[in-house]
Structure formats: structure tokens, C-alpha cells
Amino acid sequence: MPPTLASLVHHSALKLAVLAGEDRLDTPVRWAHVSELADPVPWMDGGELLLITAMKIDAEDRQEMRRYVRRLVRAGVVGLGFAVGVNYEQVPAALVEAAEAEGLPLLEVPRRTPFLAISKAVSAAIAADQYRAVTAGFEAQRELTRAAVGAEGPAALLARLAVHLDGWAALYDASGAVVAAAPDWAARRAARLGRDVERLRERPAPATAVLGSDPAEEGADRVELQSLGSGRRARGVLAVGTAAPLGTAERYAVQSAIALLTLTTERSRALQDAEQRLGAAVLRMLLAGEPDHARAVAGDLYGGLLDAPFRVLVAEAVTEPPAAEEATEPSGEAAPPPADPLGLLADAVETAAGRVAEAVLTVPDGERLIVLAPDGGAAVAACAEHARGIEARRGTKSRPRDRSAAAPPCDLVVGLSAPAGPIAAAAAYRQAEQALSVARRRGRVLVEHEEVAAGSVLPLLADDAVRAFADGLLRALYEHDATGRGDLVASLRAWLSRHGQWDAAAADLGVHRHTLRYRMRRVEEILGRSLDDPDVRMELWLALKTTSGQQQ
């Protein structure tokens, strides 16, 4: 620990006596400084032991001493050493009273003790403290290195780091999930920092954040977050919690842990890059209709993925910024778009698959990300969860009820195919692209092909151009009905829904079939189109479905 006033008082060679402030002798001393100025404050940094002989001050003037001592305390001076036998044979009572009043430790320095001896003692103690810190830091580095290369890897490293810090440590993966913590109870503490870790991961690496403790919280601590990785995107985050700010030795230990964990993540990333190149080759063969060659290249790494139904996922990043009224989080704070939406999605998918030893193939393709993942597996579930998280933050879980409103933009759009096998990989890729197109048009983050194929074709046509066509086609009928001269729109809908069957449609409307025939003739006259034309009937039916509920 650094030198304190108490350690100087107990230094047998200095012979210092305490005249005031005995209860504050445990205060650390940053330096010993000699100054005979009447106002040395402008040259003080705080934490000094000031040494004087009172050559330029009247140490017997009570008012002057009160002002002098008060200035020193406000400047952060931690102690005052007064040399006796030079200008004063003993420390003046006025100075003693002022020091006691302000709580400033006052030390009597005997004539035979030069100020230089005190400065050397402080300097030697500071140097010794720094040496101990550096030595402890090197020892921590050796222990952490041994732990990192051991069988337990990062878990053992975190355990040793927590001991060195007398606190706790936790490691988050690229998706922001806690993968290891020490001691065991720290996992619960680390889990509460999810939002802070997410904000740090969205910043370019390396990045740091210090979270102040809440004094009202039981076991409050000070937390530091440090991103891991040498690239632009963080590969993980290290969190450490301590009761007080880190000292020099603790800082050495944390920096060593960061270096070792970064090396581990970068080595893992190099292996993932090699696997990714192999995966790209497998994907090209599947899309080219060469499943046998794809199996041969996949080997043990991706072979299991091709032995069961899989899904093809195609994702794109959207560069358009969200509208001002939508670019906020539920709390009202600004929600900046993630720096790399495709990278974050890839991390979420790969991390989820890794936890259950599930084979997954992720291939960046220009502005796209293509993923092959087992149907019903962890990777597909992680993709859906990631999409729900984006929609929840953006407030776009569904399209606005007013279909005339523009769909809100998203930072990411994803299309997911139906389950397929290696022979149908190309078809699955086309399905994913179709679902991606629908997601982009609807302002959705994720759309599955089953949702498109099993549902109606009408949602696919619900864009501005189709609505404008429908409004124009039916406007004359709505205007006619608005005058109270008939109910042509409802009659047309009933007749089309009954496939032109007069009796059934008339029964639905509660009118005579001749009345319905008259109304259909009026429809033809107003629109200038023949209902005998199947194309006309199709266009009218789609127009009615598109405008349903808007003009009623």
C-alpha cells in the first residue's frame, strides 16, 4: 500500500511528533513538498505532505493561521510538517489550534531531521509500493496464463482473476450471454448487466464502460466492462466487480486477463473463418444441385446437418434510418441502430448452436447472410428470438392496422424457408428469398415461407399501388351507394362470393333474384365492364378484399 502519515510517524529515523489530526494519520501521502510561500495552493495537486519553516508567514497570528490552514485543506493537502528550531523553537499555538479546528494532521519535525529525509522516505515508500504492484501484477499474469491454457480454460482464468481482485468476474460471449462467472453467485449479478453489455457490444472494439454502484443496493459494487477482440466488432465482454476502484496490481491482472481472453477469442475466430470457407463451398454445391459432392466436402463438420431436414435463412441489413417517431426505445431514449446487424445475428445463431453442439452453416454473401440450420433446432429458435427482440425494441411487432400507412423500416430483414433436404436446397433458397422480399415490403424483421404459402395471396398485394388501383376501380360504386340509391358494393361482394349463383347470393342479401340481377346490370353500367369476363371478376374480388373495412 502507498505511504501514509502514520507510516512516516512510525519511521524511527524521522522522529516526527503528532500535534493535531491524530484520527487522520491513515491518509495516503502522494508526495512530500517543501514551500515557504504564504499561499502555496496554486502549486498543489492534492495528497501532499507540505513541509514548512514559516519563513514568510506569521505563525503566531491566529486569524492568518486559520486562513492559511483552511486554504491548504481545500487544496487537498493531507498533512503539514513544521520544522522547529529554525524560525520558531516550537510549533506556535495559533497554528496548532487552526490545524485542530480544520482536522489537518500537524507533524512536528525536529531540527536534526532534514526535509530531504522525509521526501526520500515518501519517495522510497511510493517506489516500494509500485514495485509490489508490478510484482503482484506479473505473478497474476503467470497464474492467469496457466489457468487459461489449462483444461478448464476461461472458467479457471475467471476464478483466479476474482481471487486477485477480491471481487467477481464474468465473461459474456458475442451474443451477450453469460458463459462463465466466478464465484458461482456472480452469474446472477452478471445477468443483470445485459443492457449495459449490449450497449458496449454495439460500440467498435476495444471499448470500456464503468458502472457506478448503487449505495442503496445490498453488496453494492463498482463494475468495469471491457470488450474483447481485435476487430471492429466485439467477440465478447469481460466484467469485473470490486468494492473499490482498481489499484495498480489489480489493473495489471485485469489487463492480463483481457489479453489472454482476446487471444483465445481471436484463435477461435480464425478457426471459425476456416470453417466458414468450407461452409461456403458446401453451400455453393447444394445450390448448384450437387448434393453428393456437398456431402463429400462437408465431411464430419457439416455432414450431420445434411442428414436431417434443415432450413435456409437469408438475411439482409437495411441501411435506411427509422423515422424519428419510431427511433426510440420504450424508455423514451434514443435507440441507435446496431453497428453490424448481420454480425449480431450470426453471433446469436452460432452461439445458440454451439451451446447444444448443433451443426450450423453461416455464410456471408456480400450484403447478405445465408444460414443453413437444422429444422426445429436451437439456431432457428435463436434467429426468431433475435428478430422478436429487434421488433420489441423498435415497437414493430406487427404491421399497423391502417394498411394505408407505410410499413416501418427495420435494421434487419430475414426470410426463412420451409424444411428441406439437400436435393431441394435450391428451392429452399428461393423460398427464403421470397419470404425476405415479403418481410422487406411489410416492414417485418422475420417472415417464414410457411406464413406466405399457407396464408392468403392478398397480404402480398397490400401495397400502395394495389390499394390505389382498388380504390380507383371501386370508387364509382362507393359513391353511388353513398347517395342511398342502392347497395351495389355489398351485392357485388355477395354475388362474387357465390360464384355468380343468383339464388344463393340473393338469399344472402335477403332480396329477390331479379333485384340482384338489376343491381349487377347497374354495376356493369357504372364500371363499364362485363361481369362475364373472368379477369374482371378476379380484379373486382381482389379490389373488394383489398379495400375491405376501409370505406365501410
Side-chain angles (χ1 to χ4, degrees), residues 266-533:
E266 290 303 314
R267 290 182 61 186
S268 298
R269 191 61 193 179
L271 178 60
Q272 291 175 6
D273 290 342
E275 293 176 352
Q276 195 173 83
R277 290 192 292 272
L278 179 62
V282 172
L283 178 63
R284 287 194 299 269
M285 293 177 184
L286 288 173
L287 298 184
E290 301 176 352
D292 293 337
H293 291 165
R295 285 183 181 277
V297 173
D300 295 334
L301 185 60
Y302 295 116
L305 177 61
L306 305 183
D307 292 334
F310 57 78
R311 298 234 188 176
V312 177
L313 178 155
V314 179
E316 282 184 356
V318 178
T319 57
E320 293 85 358
E325 67 271 19
E326 294 167 347
T328 57
E329 295 191 2
S331 62
E333 299 178 355
D340 184 4
L342 293 180
L344 294 178
L345 175 62
D347 288 339
V349 168
E350 292 172 350
T351 301
R355 292 196 188 111
V356 295
E358 176 182 288
V360 62
L361 190 156
T362 59
V363 180
D365 183 24
E367 299 299 322
R368 285 183 168 186
L369 176 72
I370 304 172
V371 179
L372 264 68
D375 177 41
V380 173
C383 176
E385 180 64 27
H386 188 76
R388 285 192 293 269
I390 295 176
E391 290 183 334
R393 290 193 298 272
R394 297 281 315 285
T396 58
K397 288 187 176 181
S398 62
R399 187 181 179 86
R401 291 188 177 183
D402 180 5
R403 303 181 74 89
S404 64
C410 300
D411 302 318
L412 182 75
V413 287
V414 182
L416 188 62
S417 77
I423 296 178
Y429 180 76
R430 289 192 296 272
Q431 291 176 355
E433 284 192 313
Q434 293 167 357
L436 177 73
S437 178
V438 174
R440 189 188 303 110
R441 186 164 54 250
R442 294 184 187 178
R444 296 269 298 280
V445 178
L446 173 67
V447 168
E448 298 188 35
H449 182 263
E450 288 95 330
E451 181 180 347
V452 177
S456 170
V457 72
L458 296 174
L460 304 180
L461 304 177
D463 56 22
D464 293 338
V466 175
R467 284 191 292 272
F469 169 78
D471 291 341
L473 181 60
L474 299 176
R475 182 179 296 111
L477 297 183
Y478 280 110
E479 290 175 351
H480 174 276
D481 289 350
T483 64
R485 293 180 295 171
D487 196 357
L488 300 185
V489 174
S491 299
L492 176 63
R493 181 181 292 109
W495 184 75
L496 290 174
S497 67
R498 288 295 187 173
H499 309 291
Q501 298 178 19
W502 298 102
D503 290 339
D508 291 341
L509 293 169
V511 299
H512 195 276
R513 65 177 181 274
H514 295 312
T515 301
L516 180 59
R517 288 181 182 275
Y518 170 76
R519 291 179 180 178
M520 292 302 98
R521 286 197 299 270
R522 289 292 294 142
V523 168
E524 290 179 321
E525 292 171 0
I526 292 173
L527 297 181
R529 296 185 176 217
S530 172
L531 294 179
D532 293 333
D533 188 335

Side-chain angles (χ1 to χ4, degrees), residues 223-308:
V223 179
E224 288 195 21
L225 303 177
Q226 171 70 55
S227 63
L228 306 174
S230 59
R232 183 175 181 272
R233 184 158 51 90
R235 302 299 181 188
V237 173
L238 172 66
V240 296
T242 53
L246 300 179
T248 304
E250 291 81 5
R251 181 64 62 191
Y252 274 119
V254 171
Q255 293 301 323
S256 297
I258 291 171
L260 291 167
L261 291 172
T262 296
L263 178 61
T264 300
T265 57
E266 290 303 314
R267 290 182 61 186
S268 298
R269 191 61 193 179
L271 178 60
Q272 291 175 6
D273 290 342
E275 293 176 352
Q276 195 173 83
R277 290 192 292 272
L278 179 62
V282 172
L283 178 63
R284 287 194 299 269
M285 293 177 184
L286 288 173
L287 298 184
E290 301 176 352
D292 293 337
H293 291 165
R295 285 183 181 277
V297 173
D300 295 334
L301 185 60
Y302 295 116
L305 177 61
L306 305 183
D307 292 334

